[in-house]
Each structure stands twice: as C-alpha cells, then as structure tokens.
Amino acid sequence: MTAVNDRNKCCYCAGCPIVCPVGAIELIDGIVVIDKEKCTNCGACVKVCPVGAMSIKR
Amino acid sequence: MQEFDVIIIGAGPAGLRAAKVLAEGKAKVLCIDKKQEIGVPKRCGEGFGLSWMERLGLKPDNKWCLQSINGAALYAPSMKSVKIDFKKVSGYIIERRVFEKELAKEAASKGAMIRTKCHASDFERKGGKVIVSCAEQGENVKYATPLIIAADGTESLTARKLGFDTKIGLNDIDSGYQYEMANISFENPHFIHFFFGKEIAPRGYLWLFPKGKNCANVGIGIAGSEPKTAKEYLDKFVKAHPGLRNGSIIEVNAGTIPVGGFLDELAADNLLVVGDAAHQVNPIHGGGIGIAMEAATIASGIALKAIAEKNFGSKFLNQYTVQWYETRGNKLKRILKQRHMLEELNDNNFETLAKSISGSDIMLIAEGDLKSSAKMVIKKLVKHPKLAKVMLKYLK
Ligand SMILES: Cc1cc2nc3c(=O)[nH]c(=O)nc-3n(C[C@H](O)[C@H](O)[C@H](O)COP(=O)(O)OP(=O)(O)OC[C@H]3O[C@@H](n4cnc5c(N)ncnc54)[C@H](O)[C@@H]3O)c2cc1C
Ligand code: SF4
Ligand code: SF4
C-alpha cells in the first residue's frame, strides 16, 4: 500500500509535502512525487489535500 | 559559477521585498522563482490592510488596488451577522499578480537580478558558502553565495534542505481552497464577508472578498485534520447560495496556511528564513502578505550587516529572530491564543455572539486587547455564563 496522487485533481498547493511526517513527498517540476519506500500509509496527506487528490491504494 | 552576496529563493511578497531592500543597500542579489510568471497562480484571498501598507511604505496604487474595503460582516450559521464599519477605507482587495509584478519591477530597478522558471532543488554548504543547484528553463545551473534567504512559501524546501525541521502537524495547518467568481451577487462590495459554523467551515471560516460589484474571491480555510476536503465545503456553500450558485468560476486556487505558530529560530549558518516559509502568518485569519514583507525587511537589514562584517554564522544572523519577535512575533503569539478560543466555539455560541456583541467588541478581541475584551465578555454575556467562561479562559 502507498499514497498515490491523482494528477487530474491536484492543484500543486504544496500541502502534502509539508505534512508528510517521513518526508516521502516532494513537488518536483510541479508534480507530486511519492517515495513508496518511505511512505507509511499514515494518511496525513489524504487529510490535508484541499481537493481530495491523494488516496491510499494497493 | 556565478557568485552573489545573497541569493533569495522565492519571488513572492517576502522574497521581492528582500530583493529590493538588499539592492538598495548595494548588495549583489539574485532572487529566483520556480514559477514561470511572478504572482501566478495566486494562493491568496488578496485582502491587504491599509495599516500594513502604511507600515511598509507602500502607496495604494490603482494598478493593483482593485476594491476599497471599509468594513467587515461576520455571519453565524443562521446568517445573522455582526457588522464592523470602519467608516473609512481600511484596506483593499488587491490583484496579486499585478502587485507582485510591480514589486519585482521595483526591485529590479534598484539593481536586483530576478529569474523566473528557476527551481532551486539542492543546497550544499562548502567552504563558508552555499552552492545552489537550479533547473533554470530546462538547464542545470549552479550559483554560489555566503547567504541564502529562504522565502519559498509554506513548502519551505530550502530551510528543510539546510537542516531545519519545517514539517507541520495536521492541526497547525489550514487547508485552503478558493474560486475567483464572476457574475455573482452579494450584499456590500465595500465589506469583506466571513461565514462561520461547523457545517460551513469546521475550525476555520469561509470568506467572500469582493473584486468589484459582481466578482469576488470566494474561499475557505479549514483544519488540515478534517476528513472532508475544503473543496467539498466550498462547493456546498456555493450551491446553497442563490447569489453564487449560477456564477462563473474564472480561477481555482488551492493552498495551505501554516496557522499554528512560527519557527522558534529563524536563522542558521548562511540562512535566513522569512514569510510563509517561517510560518509567519496571522494565526486567526491566515493573512500573511504584510507580515511576510515586514519580516523580509528586518531580515534584509541583518543581511546587509552580515555582508559588511563578513559574518554569516548562526549567532550573528539570529539577531533577526530577536528583532522579529520584538516587533511582531510576540504579538502574534498572543493572537494564537485567541485562535484556540475560536476553535472551541460551537454553532450555538456563534448565534449567541451574533445576537449579543457588536462589531467594535469583535475588534477588541481581534486586536489582542485582552483586558478590555475580558471586561466586554463579562458585561455582554451575563446571561450566557458557560460561553463567557470558555472565552474568558483565553482572555488572560
Ligand atoms: C487560500 C489562501 C488565502 C489567503 N488569503 C490571504 C489574504 O487574503 N491576505 C493575506 O495577507 N494573506 C493571505 N494568504 C496568505 C498569503 O498568501 C501568504 O502569507 C503570502 O503569500 C506569503 O508570502 P511569501 O513571499 O512568504 O510566500 P509565497 O507568496 O508563497 O511565495 C513563495 C514563492 O517561492 C517560490 N518557490 C517555492 N519553492 C521554490 C524553489 N524550490 N525554487 C524557487 N522558487 C520556489 C514559489 O513559486 C512562490 O512564488 C492566503 C493564503 C492562502 C493559501
Ligand atoms: S500516507 Fe503518510 S507517509 Fe505516505 S505519503 Fe502520505 S503523509 Fe507521507
Ligand atoms: S495537497 Fe493535494 S492539491 Fe496539494 S499538492 Fe498535494 S495532492 Fe496536490
């Protein structure tokens, strides 16, 4: 399981990288990039996202 | 490799202010932004108080001051409202895109070098300097400097890469979403409108900031920990309001606001952190344009001293931390308490307040005048001892 980003919904607001407790998210060239190895599926990014662009998927 | 006295990461209000002050002080300064166009997209309701402009020496300019504001209306869930009428212009809804470009032009005219579409991705301390790796219009470039000013907004990658912990807990961040709307109708274009309530904006508020008679920024900020999204709440509100329901959406803005307090230390070796990157925003309403620019002014003053004395050590640079807490930080810490009060109020409390207190009473609280606020609460809420007790807890 890992957090995934829906690019069609994402507004690149930079909310998810700052709340991720393990630093698994970076905004690179305006795109949310998630390090699956680091992600602990804590769901913080899912909650903070103003548009529901993050979810936890298998 | 090109070298500069100072490199500023981020050309928002904070970075551009720093660029101007440093260039005026004859420093060789580079200010870079990853965006293609300065000020676009905005992450902002665009409310800017006149007292802030005066403090910063900015003259309201028709180029970017779209709508003058002389009051505020606060609505409880039933739409009963309290009005605060200043009876004179107290601020403006600005066009941030134009405002920031004007700041950039001014900084450039003083001699600052500005670069857009230039993303700083890595930082390395080496021999008393910092090497900044950037992707500039598709090319990899490196710049060197003894002093970095991190003005890169909430994302705050710069400070993080240079050893600061800038992560924020879900309770200390507001998740924001906004539509710039056209062809809508609302009560008074010279008032800013705030809507409160659990079903409207849990632990936050929804705003309507007019940009002319039929246009407005309609936005919301809610607790980052809320399970439902900010967009869901905003859509629900727009649908429920006949004046908004059939309006057009001409811009969508998303952003997060670090409302839970600021970094304790604002400087480290070779580094000053300013604006949203240092979480320097008003903890109650989330406004940060003025605060960011004021902090940038203070930081730039210390930066000029550091250049003159060739001292870029943490201890020297932390004079900025001390000065900032004296001018602004301590005041904002008091306001943070009031925010916790707001969080405790429920919908019934909002209704009671809308019926019992006046606009000037609210101003007492918002300005952090604890003594007078406490007196007011005791007097006006005699019939509501429970609510008075909750509020008095925070007015000490
Ligand atoms: C929804 C919302 C509504 C708001 N409404 C208001 C309001 O009505 N009034 C008010 O006063 N404040 C408001 N604020 C707060 C205000 O927008 C901020 O406090 C203000 O923009 C802070 O300025 P800044 O210069 O610190 O950061 P920013 O304006 O965020 O600027 C940071 C800049 O750094 C750039 N950057 C980031 N990382 C890098 C990198 N690695 N390399 C290069 N560049 C980089 C970004 O592209 C950006 O341009 C609102 C905020 C939000 C989210
Ligand atoms: S689920 Fe948690 S750990 Fe994984 S990316 Fe989101 S915030 Fe980070
Ligand atoms: S919080 Fe949501 S909208 Fe913001 S960058 Fe992350 S995924 Fe995109």
Side-chain angles (χ1 to χ4, degrees):
Chain A
M1 298 236 289
T2 180
V4 288
N5 171 261
D6 180 342
R7 267 186 220 172
N8 293 322
K9 282 189 183 167
C10 178
C11 295
Y12 318 112
C13 76
C16 51
I18 28 173
V19 299
C20 176
V22 294
I25 309 180
E26 262 192 71
L27 262 181
I28 300 174
D29 291 338
I31 289 169
V32 170
V33 179
I34 299 150
D35 185 338
K36 286 184 195 161
E37 301 299 317
K38 281 192 192 164
C39 175
T40 61
N41 313 314
C42 73
C45 56
V46 180
K47 279 192 170 162
V48 85
C49 180
V51 294
M54 296 297 284
S55 54
I56 309 281
K57 293 223 166 90
R58 271 185 199 284
Chain B
M1 196 181 339
Q2 237 182 316
E3 286 205 22
F4 292 86
D5 291 332
V6 186
I7 297 179
I8 303 163
I9 315 296
L16 292 168
R17 176 62 162 211
K20 176 190 163 236
V21 177
L22 289 164
E24 277 173 344
K26 301 281 173 266
K28 188 179 174 202
V29 49
L30 172 71
C31 176
I32 64 169
D33 202 293
K34 64 180 180 180
K35 288 177 178 170
Q36 192 159 319
E37 182 177 354
I38 285 190
V40 180
K42 66 174 190 273
R43 284 177 189 155
C44 190
E46 303 182 298
F48 199 8
L50 189 61
S51 57
W52 272 111
M53 292 186 195
E54 285 165 359
R55 213 170 280 140
L56 295 162
L58 292 167
K59 282 210 185 73
D61 182 336
N62 286 339
K63 267 191 221 152
W64 45 268
C65 284
L66 268 197
Q67 173 73 51
S68 62
I69 296 299
N70 49 32
L74 283 67
Y75 302 82
S78 67
M79 288 295 141
K80 175 152 183 57
S81 67
V82 181
K83 298 210 164 68
I84 306 169
D85 193 345
F86 297 111
K87 303 223 160 63
K88 58 178 194 304
V89 175
S90 60
Y92 292 87
I93 306 305
I94 64 171
E95 187 70 33
R96 246 187 91 160
R97 178 173 51 89
V98 182
F99 173 64
E100 284 186 40
K101 281 219 177 114
E102 289 300 315
L103 292 180
K105 284 186 213 161
E106 199 192 355
S109 76
K110 307 276 179 197
M113 178 64 74
I114 298 172
R115 286 281 179 266
T116 49
K117 207 169 171 65
C118 181
H119 184 177
S121 54
D122 226 337
F123 302 84
E124 189 195 350
R125 284 197 179 90
K126 209 173 179 181
K129 297 228 160 94
V130 179
I131 315 291
V132 188
S133 305
C134 309
E136 187 171 348
Q137 296 179 53
E139 306 271 334
N140 292 323
V141 271
K142 286 187 187 211
Y143 295 110
T145 183
L147 183 58
I148 297 273
I149 296 188
D152 48 351
T154 24
E155 207 181 329
S156 203
L157 179 93
T158 307
R160 214 179 325 151
K161 292 244 173 178
L162 286 166
F164 262 81
D165 183 7
T166 55
K167 276 192 223 87
I168 307 181
L170 282 176
N171 272 321
D172 290 331
I173 193 161
D174 271 7
S175 172
Y177 202 59
Q178 177 178 271
Y179 296 138
E180 185 167 335
M181 299 191 75
N183 191 30
I184 53 174
S185 56
F186 46 87
E187 220 178 279
N188 181 349
H190 290 288
F191 267 50
I192 45 179
H193 305 267
F194 297 98
F195 305 86
F196 296 89
K198 269 231 152 47
E199 297 301 318
I200 293 172
R203 205 211 71 184
Y205 63 86
L206 198 144
W207 65 83
L208 187 151
F209 286 4
K211 293 177 88 172
K213 246 191 181 147
N214 303 105
C215 290
N217 287 325
V218 185
I220 188 172
I222 59 169
S225 51
E226 264 305 303
K228 274 207 249 171
T229 66
K231 179 179 184 303
E232 283 171 83
Y233 284 101
L234 183 61
D235 285 339
K236 193 167 114 189
F237 184 85
V238 168
K239 261 199 204 121
H241 286 77
L244 304 178
R245 196 181 295 151
N246 298 315
S248 288
I249 296 171
I250 59 173
E251 195 175 312
V252 170
N253 310 120
T256 37
I257 314 168
V259 288
F262 358 88
L263 300 184
D264 291 330
E265 280 202 6
L266 305 168
D269 288 345
N270 315 95
L271 177 69
L272 294 160
V273 191
V274 295
D276 272 13
H279 311 168
Q280 288 163 323
V281 299
N282 183 303
I284 286 200
H285 56 63
I289 303 172
I291 296 175
M293 291 181 72
E294 181 188 57
T297 311
I298 300 171
S300 305
I302 300 297
L304 286 173
K305 270 211 236 166
I307 295 166
E309 296 184 26
K310 295 195 173 55
N311 186 346
F312 304 99
S314 162
K315 196 168 165 218
F316 189 89
L317 295 177
N318 263 306
Q319 291 178 69
Y320 155 53
T321 305
V322 176
Q323 271 189 31
W324 185 75
Y325 272 89
E326 277 169 6
T327 26
R328 189 63 47 195
N330 293 330
K331 223 176 261 170
L332 293 181
K333 282 229 154 136
R334 284 200 293 278
I335 296 180
L336 187 59
K337 269 200 192 167
Q338 261 80 295
R339 188 179 89 105
H340 297 311
M341 171 168 81
L342 208 62
E343 282 169 18
E344 262 199 55
L345 302 182
N346 60 33
D347 283 7
N348 285 336
N349 295 154
F350 284 125
E351 300 296 349
T352 309
L353 286 172
K355 277 185 222 138
S356 323
I357 69 173
S358 70
S360 46
D361 296 338
I362 290 180
M363 285 312 294
L364 284 181
I365 300 179
E367 279 164 7
D369 183 346
L370 301 184
K371 237 186 184 163
S372 314
S373 303
K375 268 194 198 150
M376 178 276 292
V377 165
I378 292 168
K379 197 169 134 204
K380 301 241 168 138
L381 298 176
V382 262
K383 286 191 195 142
H384 308 279
K386 257 197 196 153
L387 173 56
K389 202 176 154 196
V390 169
M391 293 180 71
L392 287 171
K393 199 166 74 187
Y394 296 98
L395 297 173
K396 275 186 219 150

